[in-house]
Amino acid sequence: MAEESTRRRNVSSTFAGSKKEEDFGYRDANGVQDDVDGKGLSAKHVKFLPRGQQHVRRRALPPPSTLTEFIQQNWEWIPPIIYTLLAAFTRFYQIGKANVVVWDEAHFGKFGGHYLKREFYFDVHPPLGKMLVGLAGLLSGYDGSFEFKSGEVYPDHVPYTAMRVILASFGAGMVPVGWFTAIELGFSQRACHLVALMVLFDCAWATISRFILLDSMLLFFTFTTVYGLTKFHNQQWRSFSIDWWFWLAFTGVSIGCVISVKWVGFFVTALVGLYTIEDLWDKFGELQMPVRVYLRHWAARALCLIVLPILVYMASFKIHFLILNHSGPGDAQMSSLFQANLRGNDFAQNPLEVAYGSKLTLKNMGWGGGLLHSHAHQYPTGSQQQQVTCYHYKDDNNNFLVMPRWDENDYDPNGDLRFLEDGDIIRLVHHATGRNLHSHPVAAPITRLNNEVSCYGNATIGDYQDYWVVEVVDDLHLGSKGNVHHIHSLTTRLRFRHNAQGCYLRAANAILPQWGWKQVEVSCVKENNPKDAHTYWNVESHWNDRLPRGEVKLYRSPFLRDFWHLNVAMMTSNNALIPDPDKEDILASTPYQWPWLSVGLRMCGWGDQQIKYYLLGNPLVWWSGTASLILSLMALGIYLLRMQRRYNDFEPGQFDHVMYVGKVAFVGWFLHYLPFLIMGRVTYIHHYLPALWFSVIMTGHLLDHFVFKSKRLSERTKWTVFIFCALAVIETFLWFRGITFGIEGPIKDHKGLLWRKSWNIY
Amino acid sequence: MEKPTNVYATGFILGALAFAVRLYKISNPDEVVFDEVHFGKFAAYYILREYYFDVHPPLAKLLLGAAGWFVGFDGQFDFENIGDSYTEHHVPYIGMRVFPAVLGSLTIPLVFAIMRECGYPTLIAAFSASLVLFDNGHVTQVRLILLDAALVFFMTMSLYSYVRFRKLRYWEFTFEWWAWMIATGVSLACTLGCKMVGLLTFATIGTAVLVDLWNLLDIRKGLSLEHVAKHFFARALGLIVVPFFVYLSFFWIHFKILTHSGTGDSFMSPAFQETLQNNEMLLNSQEIRYYDTVTMRHKDSKVFLHSHPDRYPLRYDDGRISSQGQQVTGYPFNDTNNHWQIVPTKSLPPTGRGRVVRHKDVVQLLHINTDSYLLTHDVASPLMPTNQEFTTWAVNDTTRYDDTLFEINIIEAHDGEPWKTKSGHFRLVHVPTRVSMWTHSEALPDWAFKQQEINGNKNAQERTATWFVDEIINDETGADLRNRTGTVEPKPVKQLNFFRKFFELQMLMLQHNAGLTASHPYASGPINWPFLISGISFWTHNDTQRQIYMIGNVVGWWTCVMALSIYVGIISADLLARRRGVYPIPEPLRNRLWNSTGLFFAAWAYHYFPFFLMSRQLFLHHYLPAHLASALVAGGVFNFIVSETINYPISIPGPNTRLRPRTHAELGVRSFIAVGVFVATLIAMFLYLSPLTYGTPGLDGDQVNRRRLLSTWTLHFAGK
């Protein structure tokens, strides 16, 4: 106890400010400090700014006259330049060695090619990354004609090396951005070097950057976002200055880019969001700040961190739509009107008015809706009749015929034309199987409260449950229901009411299990909600030889509608990527395995003659990162306990800074890791790569805090620790260089790589 | 009003009302309702002493079993379907229903007592209690043979004991202090013993304890570290160690009672099953010797390993090519094509123990009818390109000898353990390629008569690649198999360490709990619960148009939701104001709001939000514990709104406590009127919905329609 009281300093001074603390009970020490000295321009802030950022104005130096002087004056630029060069080495060295399509190049190479051919395609990821792949292809003279089949050898006309190099530049860019981020976080020189070395020599980051994939861009933009955030943090003492605005906007643009590459970018966005909320909360407590200024702070952030990213995101889609103006494999994901605008699409030439005997496809008009579909497979549950689904690709199984009721005369192909009108009661016959669209009071497989919809019977067998009432909602061209006499293809919005049950045909993005091929469930909803767009359908393709072809005219489809439609479709497909319990995916791994690096991933075939790449982190980087995260929590706990007992371990302001860096690292890691635990979709080891950056920051931070900035350790010890860590990271990379640069010859010849039994290297 | 006699009288009246409301027409309906299908059955198993498996811990079911035993239930009713008649089968179901109803009724005085002990005036306490008392949801749930009554009761008991414990803070380490702390611990263990949701109650109390300890640690309290440590260890003992042992004891009793083989056997490991009387493994498990002819079954799908002379087609529909070898399939029925002989790959002694097949032995499997060996090779299986095809190879052709070698890999076995029928669960691992023989529910096309596909799974440790030998058909001599081990009497029941049994069961419960993902028409997402968007249809009777529909009292639940949002509003406003240097709420009032109502709010949040993370199927009745907590919050908020004064002191002053002056809460006449009007509305709504709660009287279409207050309620017998 004696020791306790002697080491307790500053007690009285903090007491003064914390009279009100009693009632709170669990208020953190951080809050107390804020109350004491109202943050802002105080000296404490300046002290922990990195070198060169402290707002003691540097006197302008005379221009350098000799080379030595030049180097001396620009000394701070030397390390990043060297690291960039080294990064170019780890990312570009022998980049073209494997002349086959490696791993997901099969997808992204193909998507890139679509931009060159300007054919519309569909994918679950936003377009920016793939447009950059397309750009890389354009710059290197690729014509988009290669199929990118997995494992296939690249033909001569595909400049895959150049494409890989261009995309790998993003991977190389991670290293200098990492270095500058460390500087901005106020790390000591040694810690900065270690962080840069870890980014440079992590095998997983290097490997994934070397192929035609989106990950190098995702990582690069994640890095720039964090960099923007740290840079902005250091401008906080001079709010609304040019630099302040610049870095705030930089962060916003960066966020826009990262979410336009993959939606995983939302996690880093959440980090920026939390930082901003805390920042605004702090400013809310600054009583001397005028309300106007405070509101301006809000407005600035809303503008730069919300509006700007959304604009960037939407711009990437706008460009996407502008480039892809030809019909292609992804058409059916979009609304019929959008498709009608694509070149090579013949919707506009469909007969305009639908008649009995017409063959047509029906498009659901809900966001992300697909085409009404049926196929010769039965429901395993319910009625066990033939499945009816919503399908997002064009296929003969989407075709239905408009037929009269059983109690009417059979359709006569030579009789009078009879056009389809509002209120008609019809049968819809599936063209390929001849069965009738049918519903009955049996619970649908997923939305159990709705009726099941199936295909049943044939041309002679059927019953009253096959009848559907056509209800016109309105027409996008003709206007309200009153103007619609005949049903028009593409523009008339219809609903189908089941005549016997009174329920409405609906497809609302519920995904069927594997037995339904993960297609969208179609059911019959008992509630009549006239506003439910998921019960709206329109005629998309329409064939009828007896009717005149429609005139070619452009139907307009507004951008915002297409944008939103595509995003919902992406979301729906993303949700369909749930793991299939019946199917073992050898490549997949669970998030629990990542921090301990218990799995790697074979990126290509493992034959003796093939060049083999293995996606595996640098074990030292990964393990030290995980260890630091755990250690940081323990350290925080101990510091808080000590504060509660009024030991003073920090200089004024130091605690705030240590907490700030720790929060960026830990919260950043947490936000990039936890969602994968919760979400049900298939996960792979490369999903951990963005989170890894934050664990690396934490490693740097803890080494910096406990070793490099320690006042107790000698310079000698610091050097020893530094050199040891640096060499260990470099050595491990060199040991594992094969998995990054490509292993030639039989894998058995490369010994000593199996550090953990669970890696499937051999 | 605040005189002790008045307080007790109020509590008593509330309790009496609770009993009246919950026991009213408890015999109706005399049919199995909703989950009575499960929990009635489990109670019967305790009486029959047959082992069963369920995802919930045993306490509540033990109590139901005890209630059944007490009223003379003989266990001879299987609660098969909702709507099965009790009276026809002479089941004393009323006694079994009364027990949870009594627990459910006792919850009401407890709620009242919690509010009183926390210092709220009697009126406020009665307000909170009536929110639970006249709640259709609680009443529906506790009148039936279900677990929730016990769960909610013990949860309330935990909160009550903790409040009593906390009030003794100036009397630390006295007998009473210890007693209430251990009572808290025991109640927590009982809550957890009813359902795993009890963990959330642990989290609630745990948070409160941590905050408490954190304040004790504050240097300004002037306590030495040793003293704080003493507090810490006392709580660890009372709130962790004691509950743990109490929780274990439930399982100990559970295992002590369930000593006979029953429906739950097949969930457990062979070692566990052999501790149950009349278990099939115990009766029929025999050692297998070389040259025995056996049948093998897949553990999960129970199909036999089967082969027949038909061959795989050369080309499958998707264009892949097969070996055109003899088909090996999974077949669910007995057939001589299921017979396989175990052929050694090493020399055997002529007689004796050396002829027993053991763990890790490499064998060949001879298909008797077609005289060929089981084989697998690097050819894709018919349905899964990733897995290996299984086929057979003629006996006299030795070119593929290596590919016919399989290792018997008995699960959790030690080296040299003999392979037994029934109990010897094993994986059949192919020696050259290390794949495990595996099957899945997908059927092969017509060319294999829709039998199940057998293939080689590359994950040799695959959990579902488990097989067992069903039966020894005959051995090479053809002698009577029963005599060869020398004994024909039933073997004695084996013993297994209690902790091994406990951990095995606990792990299985967690696994199966997470696996309950099948969709259910009345399952609903947590976001719908507080607003009563949809209920659950428990029971219907077509002839009389009667139904039980589990739904809360709309007035009460929406009041609770409002109270919760007002609480969040007040707290946020307080935080924002203080951030701007304004202190709007007087200090004593604010303490009450943060600490006492805060505890209730935390209880609500802990019992509600974790459900958002659960992917299992969820039902409205999972919200009942959270609803009870929200009723407490409602009392606190109501008090804050109507009165600026509080009762003080609440904690029992110690010898050295310096007290601020004593104060009393003043509630105006208007509060009495407000509560009176509110409770009257509450009761009116309760009575209006009561036909859905009690399942009587029957309602015609129009009456049903009128009671369908929200369009999302899916009531039966609705009029057109």
Side-chain angles (χ1 to χ4, degrees):
Chain A
M1 271 351 287
E3 189 191 295
E4 193 174 284
S5 50
T6 48
R7 293 195 44 207
R8 212 179 294 145
R9 285 181 286 157
N10 287 350
V11 175
S12 51
S13 68
T14 21
F15 256 163
S18 55
K19 208 183 78 215
K20 299 265 160 19
E21 204 181 26
E22 201 94 48
D23 40 83
F24 235 101
Y26 47 83
R27 197 160 165 201
D28 66 357
N30 200 5
V32 178
Q33 297 248 8
D34 282 350
D35 270 358
V36 178
D37 44 25
K39 242 187 176 178
L41 311 182
S42 62
K44 69 164 198 200
H45 235 76
V46 178
K47 181 162 176 169
F48 291 95
L49 287 174
R51 225 161 293 171
Q53 301 283 326
Q54 300 179 2
H55 66 128
V56 190
R57 290 235 180 266
R58 259 194 295 177
R59 196 155 43 85
L61 293 166
S65 52
T66 67
L67 186 63
T68 341
E69 236 178 80
F70 178 77
I71 290 176
Q72 274 168 1
Q73 281 186 24
N74 293 288
W75 183 243
E76 56 186 299
W77 293 100
I78 303 293
I81 290 171
I82 292 175
Y83 281 124
T84 313
L85 292 176
L86 282 171
F89 175 76
T90 57
R91 269 64 173 171
F92 298 157
Y93 177 66
Q94 293 193 334
I95 196 167
K97 189 155 78 171
N99 62 343
V100 294
V101 178
V102 175
W103 198 40
D104 276 354
E105 284 188 347
H107 297 300
F108 301 116
K110 186 174 64 195
F111 294 143
H114 284 306
Y115 287 100
L116 299 174
K117 288 190 288 179
R118 310 194 66 175
E119 288 173 352
F120 194 82
Y121 72 93
F122 173 78
D123 179 37
V124 295
H125 299 298
L128 180 65
K130 289 164 296 179
M131 287 197 291
L132 289 170
V133 173
L135 183 67
L138 187 72
L139 292 178
S140 42
Y142 167 53
D143 60 359
S145 59
F146 183 56
E147 282 250 19
F148 279 94
K149 287 225 178 83
S150 186
E152 200 168 305
V153 175
Y154 283 111
D156 291 339
H157 65 87
V158 180
Y160 67 96
T161 311
M163 286 172 74
R164 281 185 190 164
V165 166
I166 293 173
L167 295 175
S169 330
F170 285 100
M174 285 159 62
V175 180
V177 176
W179 163 267
F180 286 120
T181 309
I183 299 265
E184 291 302 321
L185 285 171
F187 286 180
S188 63
Q189 283 288 309
R190 291 193 192 94
C192 292
H193 280 286
L194 268 186
V195 167
L197 282 173
M198 285 196 275
V199 179
L200 177 59
F201 289 122
D202 180 71
C203 314
W205 275 337
T207 313
I208 202 120
S209 306
R210 294 163 57 92
F211 299 100
I212 303 174
L213 302 172
L214 303 187
D215 298 80
S216 56
M217 290 169 265
L218 175 74
L219 286 167
F220 178 76
F221 289 125
T222 306
F223 273 56
T224 51
T225 308
V226 179
Y227 177 61
L229 178 71
T230 53
K231 198 79 186 161
F232 172 71
H233 180 79
N234 289 339
Q235 312 301 326
Q236 288 272 22
W237 58 275
R238 41 175 185 183
S239 300
F240 305 111
S241 65
I242 295 288
D243 282 7
W244 186 92
W245 275 109
F246 176 78
W247 288 109
L248 188 60
F250 177 89
T251 312
V253 173
S254 198
I255 287 174
C257 291
V258 73
I259 53 175
S260 310
V261 174
K262 279 190 182 181
W263 279 347
V264 190
F266 277 115
F267 303 151
V268 75
T269 313
L271 174 69
V272 177
L274 288 181
Y275 169 84
T276 309
I277 289 170
E278 197 201 357
D279 181 29
L280 288 172
W281 176 250
D282 284 345
K283 289 193 165 48
F284 189 66
E286 284 175 28
L287 297 182
Q288 71 274 40
M289 181 187 283
V291 176
R292 251 170 154 359
V293 175
Y294 185 66
L295 291 180
R296 272 178 71 201
H297 273 291
W298 269 89
R301 281 159 180 84
L303 182 71
C304 292
L305 299 180
I306 297 175
V307 176
L308 206 52
I310 291 177
L311 285 180
V312 172
Y313 185 71
M314 285 173 58
S316 73
F317 275 87
K318 182 74 193 173
I319 300 169
H320 176 76
F321 290 139
L322 285 176
I323 298 179
L324 302 179
N325 59 2
H326 287 63
S327 171
D331 285 14
Q333 291 283 353
M334 300 300 291
S335 70
S336 304
L337 277 184
F338 177 86
Q339 296 179 48
N341 283 318
L342 293 174
R343 278 184 220 164
N345 181 294
D346 57 356
F347 286 172
Q349 293 169 22
N350 289 339
L352 183 66
E353 298 181 326
V354 180
Y356 282 78
S358 283
K359 184 168 82 173
L360 42 79
T361 61
L362 289 169
K363 174 88 176 177
N364 187 277
M365 296 195 77
W367 299 116
L371 294 161
L372 190 68
H373 178 95
S374 180
H375 41 229
H377 294 275
Q378 278 74 42
Y379 284 112
T381 56
S383 67
Q384 317 226 329
Q385 293 171 2
Q386 182 169 309
Q387 295 173 18
V388 173
T389 64
C390 236
Y391 187 54
H392 282 106
Y393 298 90
K394 289 184 182 169
D395 179 334
D396 284 344
N397 273 330
N398 302 337
N399 299 342
F400 285 83
L401 296 172
V402 179
M403 284 291 156
R405 290 194 307 269
W406 295 113
D407 54 358
E408 293 174 314
N409 294 332
D410 280 356
Y411 169 69
D412 173 11
N414 302 316
D416 290 340
L417 267 177
R418 189 174 149 200
F419 286 102
L420 193 60
E421 288 173 18
D422 181 32
D424 280 6
I425 302 176
I426 56 163
R427 259 187 319 133
L428 283 167
V429 179
H430 186 233
H431 186 248
T433 60
R435 298 189 187 279
N436 307 302
L437 191 72
H438 185 91
S439 181
H440 39 216
V442 172
I446 307 291
T447 37
R448 302 296 297 265
L449 291 176
N450 294 358
N451 285 339
E452 181 188 274
V453 174
S454 64
C455 262
Y456 171 71
N458 54 32
T460 49
I461 298 175
D463 59 20
Y464 65 99
Q465 307 270 35
D466 300 336
Y467 295 161
W468 298 88
V469 183
V470 179
E471 290 186 3
V472 171
V473 180
D474 61 1
D475 189 289
L476 298 173
H477 253 208
L478 305 172
S480 71
K481 188 174 173 177
N483 302 333
V484 183
H485 302 298
H486 294 162
I487 309 286
H488 286 193
S489 74
L490 294 179
T491 51
T492 307
R493 305 206 285 176
L494 305 169
R495 303 174 82 204
F496 291 97
R497 179 159 58 83
H498 191 252
N499 194 34
Q501 306 293 331
C503 56
Y504 285 87
L505 192 67
R506 182 170 193 260
N509 300 346
I511 307 287
L512 291 173
Q514 194 59 38
W515 54 254
W517 282 268
K518 302 273 171 86
Q519 293 171 10
V520 175
E521 181 202 48
V522 172
S523 61
C524 199
V525 59
K526 292 166 198 161
E527 292 298 324
N528 175 14
N529 175 3
K531 294 242 154 30
D532 182 4
H534 290 293
T535 61
Y536 292 1
W537 302 81
N538 68 278
V539 176
E540 185 168 291
S541 300
H542 178 208
W543 299 271
N544 195 334
D545 296 338
R546 305 172 65 197
L547 293 170
R549 292 160 73 82
E551 41 198 303
V552 183
K553 60 177 173 235
L554 275 186
Y555 300 98
R556 286 200 318 117
S557 179
F559 167 71
L560 278 180
R561 184 186 284 242
D562 296 338
F563 167 76
W564 192 245
H565 189 99
L566 183 53
N567 273 279
V568 175
M570 284 157 58
M571 177 66 94
T572 313
S573 314
N574 221 343
N575 288 344
L577 294 177
I578 49 171
D580 179 0
D582 310 336
K583 214 162 64 185
E584 280 289 323
D585 188 344
I586 195 106
L587 296 178
S589 51
T590 66
Y592 298 105
Q593 298 171 313
W594 302 337
W596 321 105
L597 197 59
S598 16
V599 281
L601 190 156
R602 289 183 182 185
M603 297 178 78
C604 49
W606 227 238
D608 287 352
Q609 304 311 315
Q610 286 164 303
I611 313 259
K612 293 170 279 293
Y613 294 94
Y614 193 70
L615 186 62
L616 181 77
N618 181 329
L620 274 195
V621 175
W622 286 52
W623 290 336
S624 64
T626 308
S628 331
L629 289 164
I630 298 170
L631 206 64
S632 70
L633 284 185
M634 285 161 49
L636 175 69
I638 291 170
Y639 277 136
L640 287 181
L641 282 177
R642 286 175 64 84
M643 276 180 185
Q644 193 75 343
R645 301 301 286 180
R646 298 290 149 181
Y647 289 98
N648 204 332
D649 299 311
F650 294 97
E651 293 166 30
Q654 190 193 3
F655 183 75
D656 278 354
H657 184 75
V658 170
M659 281 301 290
Y660 152 68
V661 181
K663 274 187 277 188
V664 167
F666 193 88
V667 176
W669 177 83
F670 189 77
L671 288 173
H672 279 82
Y673 181 71
L674 185 81
F676 289 107
L677 279 181
I678 299 171
M679 66 178 149
R681 64 165 284 180
V682 198
T683 50
Y684 301 97
I685 186 159
H686 68 271
H687 291 153
Y688 188 67
L689 294 179
L692 182 66
W693 172 224
F694 298 94
S695 74
V696 166
I697 292 180
M698 188 57 100
T699 312
H701 180 46
L702 289 194
L703 278 173
D704 197 37
H705 179 67
F706 286 116
V707 181
F708 301 140
K709 279 187 187 154
S710 162
K711 295 207 176 88
R712 291 192 210 146
L713 300 179
S714 67
E715 276 298 290
R716 219 180 104 114
T717 324
K718 292 179 184 175
W719 273 116
T720 319
V721 171
F722 172 71
I723 291 172
F724 174 79
C725 293
L727 284 181
V729 169
I730 298 170
E731 274 300 316
T732 324
F733 175 77
L734 291 178
W735 185 259
F736 282 99
R737 65 186 184 279
I739 62 169
T740 301
F741 297 142
I743 297 174
E744 287 172 271
I747 187 73
K748 300 278 182 218
D749 298 350
H750 300 261
K751 294 195 166 51
L753 297 180
L754 198 69
W755 286 18
R756 293 200 61 170
K757 277 191 188 144
S758 46
W759 298 349
N760 56 348
I761 292 191
Y762 293 114
Chain B
M1 186 72 193
E2 299 296 318
K3 273 188 293 187
T5 47
N6 287 351
V7 175
Y8 285 121
T10 318
F12 182 79
I13 293 168
L14 286 168
L17 275 172
F19 272 96
V21 163
R22 275 144 180 82
L23 292 174
Y24 173 72
K25 286 198 179 171
I26 194 149
S27 59
N28 180 66
D30 61 346
E31 291 183 0
V32 179
V33 177
F34 195 57
D35 274 354
E36 288 187 344
V37 168
H38 301 297
F39 302 118
K41 192 155 51 187
F42 296 146
Y45 287 139
Y46 281 113
I47 291 163
L48 298 172
R49 311 195 66 174
E50 286 178 8
Y51 189 80
Y52 72 90
F53 175 79
D54 181 36
V55 295
H56 300 297
L59 176 66
K61 290 169 294 181
L62 273 169
L63 293 174
L64 289 174
W69 172 79
F70 187 74
V71 295
F73 179 39
D74 57 2
Q76 300 300 331
F77 179 65
D78 53 8
F79 298 85
E80 199 54 47
N81 293 306
I82 294 177
D84 286 357
S85 168
Y86 284 128
T87 36
E88 279 172 28
H89 297 90
H90 309 292
V91 182
Y93 67 101
I94 299 181
M96 294 172 76
R97 279 192 188 155
V98 164
F99 173 71
V102 167
L103 287 185
S105 312
L106 290 177
T107 307
I108 309 304
L110 266 184
V111 170
F112 178 75
I114 290 178
M115 294 301 284
R116 278 294 311 163
E117 293 292 336
C118 284
Y120 296 99
T122 310
L123 180 73
I124 304 291
F127 167 76
S128 279
S130 52
L131 278 172
V132 184
L133 166 54
F134 296 109
D135 184 70
N136 301 69
H138 280 275
V139 174
T140 314
Q141 199 74 19
V142 303
R143 294 175 75 249
L144 301 168
I145 309 173
L146 301 174
L147 309 185
D148 302 77
L151 173 79
V152 174
F153 173 77
F154 287 122
M155 174 223 164
T156 320
M157 193 67 208
S158 312
L159 280 176
Y160 176 71
S161 322
Y162 181 74
V163 169
R164 291 296 299 261
F165 163 70
R166 182 87 181 103
K167 284 178 65 174
L168 289 161
R169 58 186 155 154
Y170 301 118
W171 293 92
E172 53 196 32
F173 305 116
T174 57
F175 174 77
E176 267 187 88
W177 186 88
W178 277 106
W180 280 114
M181 180 166 73
I182 289 178
T184 314
V186 172
S187 309
L188 282 171
C190 291
T191 319
L192 187 61
C194 294
K195 278 189 175 185
M196 297 309 283
V197 185
L199 282 177
L200 306 178
T201 319
F202 259 99
T204 313
I205 303 292
T207 309
V209 167
L210 282 181
V211 171
D212 187 20
L213 283 175
W214 186 249
N215 290 335
L216 290 179
L217 189 68
D218 194 329
I219 198 84
R220 284 164 296 169
K221 286 269 181 202
L223 301 181
S224 73
L225 269 183
E226 291 78 8
H227 195 84
V228 176
K230 201 173 156 196
H231 271 288
F232 176 80
F233 287 115
R235 282 163 178 76
L237 176 71
L239 301 175
I240 297 174
V241 178
V242 169
F244 180 68
F245 282 103
V246 173
Y247 183 66
L248 278 187
S249 71
F250 302 146
F251 282 86
W252 192 79
I253 297 169
H254 178 75
F255 292 138
K256 276 290 168 212
I257 294 180
L258 302 178
T259 52
H260 289 61
S261 166
T263 52
D265 287 16
S266 55
F267 289 92
M268 313 308 290
S269 68
F272 190 105
Q273 294 190 34
E274 285 181 340
T275 65
L276 299 168
Q277 281 177 41
N278 299 332
N279 181 272
E280 196 180 21
M281 287 194 178
L282 212 54
L283 298 180
N284 298 326
S285 181
Q286 292 198 49
E287 285 176 358
I288 300 164
R289 301 181 182 193
Y290 280 110
Y291 295 114
D292 282 352
T293 301
V294 299
T295 54
M296 284 171 263
R297 296 183 98 164
H298 183 236
K299 181 175 170 244
D300 299 337
S301 59
K302 299 280 188 290
V303 294
F304 289 98
L305 178 66
H306 178 98
S307 182
H308 42 228
D310 301 76
R311 308 215 148 234
Y312 290 113
L314 175 61
R315 193 178 281 277
Y316 300 125
D317 288 346
D318 58 359
R320 287 183 297 114
I321 290 180
S322 82
S323 70
Q324 270 193 294
Q326 181 173 317
Q327 291 173 13
V328 173
T329 61
Y331 185 61
F333 307 107
N334 251 321
D335 188 284
T336 52
N337 271 332
N338 302 341
H339 294 180
W340 300 83
Q341 188 179 43
I342 298 152
V343 179
T345 55
K346 59 181 183 190
S347 60
L348 298 178
T351 52
R353 305 280 301 156
R355 298 181 74 87
V356 173
V357 189
R358 293 172 189 281
H359 180 46
K360 292 208 170 159
D361 275 4
V362 174
V363 303
Q364 289 178 298
L365 292 171
L366 177 70
H367 189 241
I368 299 281
N369 281 5
T370 59
D371 211 21
S372 53
Y373 286 124
L374 186 71
L375 168 144
T376 180
H377 46 190
D378 192 12
V379 173
S381 80
L383 299 179
M384 298 175 69
T386 50
N387 291 17
Q388 279 188 196
E389 175 192 276
F390 265 69
T391 178
T392 65
W393 205 259
V395 169
N396 42 25
D397 183 354
T398 51
T399 51
R400 301 289 297 276
Y401 175 75
D402 282 350
D403 280 337
T404 61
L405 300 183
F406 289 92
E407 185 184 293
I408 305 290
N409 216 324
I410 302 173
I411 287 162
E412 287 179 5
H414 54 81
D415 279 347
E417 184 164 315
W419 188 25
K420 291 180 175 172
T421 60
K422 308 279 188 194
S423 65
H425 290 174
F426 67 99
R427 278 189 279 264
L428 193 69
V429 180
H430 188 231
V431 175
T433 60
R434 303 310 295 174
V435 297
S436 283
M437 181 165 77
W438 185 66
T439 184
H440 55 117
S441 54
E442 206 168 323
L444 290 165
D446 288 334
W447 49 256
F449 317 106
K450 304 246 171 180
Q451 292 171 9
Q452 217 164 291
E453 185 193 29
I454 302 256
N455 61 33
N457 193 313
K458 287 186 178 143
N459 177 8
Q461 301 302 314
E462 172 62 42
R463 200 170 49 81
T464 55
T466 310
W467 298 74
F468 64 92
V469 171
D470 191 48
E471 206 180 350
I472 304 177
I473 304 299
N474 53 41
D475 65 4
E476 49 185 330
T477 60
D480 185 8
L481 292 166
R482 289 217 148 249
N483 281 331
R484 95 178 163 189
T485 41
T487 50
V488 278
E489 292 137 34
K491 284 165 240 170
V493 179
K494 296 191 179 156
Q495 294 299 319
L496 190 63
N497 180 290
F498 165 70
F499 286 96
R500 274 192 60 188
K501 284 162 92 174
F502 168 72
F503 281 115
E504 183 180 333
L505 179 55
Q506 187 68 53
M507 283 300 131
L508 277 171
M509 279 161 49
L510 293 176
Q511 273 171 23
H512 281 264
N513 203 10
L516 289 177
T517 51
S519 63
H520 187 284
Y522 290 102
S524 53
I527 192 70
N528 302 318
W529 297 342
F531 309 100
L532 283 175
I533 300 297
S534 65
I536 310 167
S537 173
F538 269 22
W539 171 85
T540 54
H541 193 269
N542 286 336
D543 301 342
T544 50
Q545 296 220 347
R546 288 183 296 155
Q547 62 180 318
I548 296 183
Y549 189 75
M550 195 278 193
I551 195 80
N553 187 326
V554 178
V555 174
W557 286 48
W558 288 352
T559 308
C560 289
V561 172
M562 258 164 28
L564 290 166
S565 35
I566 292 173
Y567 183 74
V568 172
I570 297 172
I571 291 297
S572 319
D574 181 49
L575 282 178
L576 287 173
R578 291 171 78 86
R579 193 81 190 148
R580 296 301 294 174
V582 182
Y583 300 88
I585 308 175
E587 207 53 28
L589 214 57
R590 185 166 179 277
N591 272 342
R592 188 59 48 87
L593 198 63
W594 275 87
N595 297 335
S596 146
T597 316
L599 174 69
F600 303 151
F601 187 80
W604 172 78
Y606 272 119
H607 285 87
Y608 180 47
F609 289 113
F611 285 102
F612 283 94
L613 298 179
M614 292 184 200
S615 47
R616 61 162 285 181
Q617 45 167 271
L618 297 169
F619 293 99
L620 179 64
H621 59 252
H622 289 142
Y623 186 69
L624 291 182
H627 172 260
L628 187 130
S630 70
L632 298 174
V633 176
V637 170
F638 185 66
N639 187 49
F640 179 81
I641 293 172
V642 296
S643 170
E644 295 228 323
T645 51
I646 55 164
N647 288 329
Y648 180 88
I650 297 303
S651 292
I652 297 147
N656 305 319
T657 323
R658 275 174 292 130
L659 284 179
R660 278 176 279 188
R662 182 173 287 272
T663 58
H664 280 288
E666 302 291 335
L667 295 176
V669 180
R670 274 182 299 175
S671 330
F672 280 87
I673 297 169
V675 170
V677 170
F678 176 78
V679 170
T681 332
L682 193 69
I683 293 174
M685 180 54 81
F686 174 78
L687 293 176
Y688 188 62
L689 291 177
S690 65
L692 306 176
T693 304
Y694 293 106
T696 186
L699 301 171
D700 64 33
D702 281 343
Q703 287 172 316
V704 170
N705 278 353
R706 263 181 270 133
R707 279 170 179 78
R708 192 159 159 251
L709 300 179
L710 268 70
S711 63
T712 45
W713 294 6
T714 44
L715 296 180
H716 288 267
F717 315 123
K720 288 290 170 190

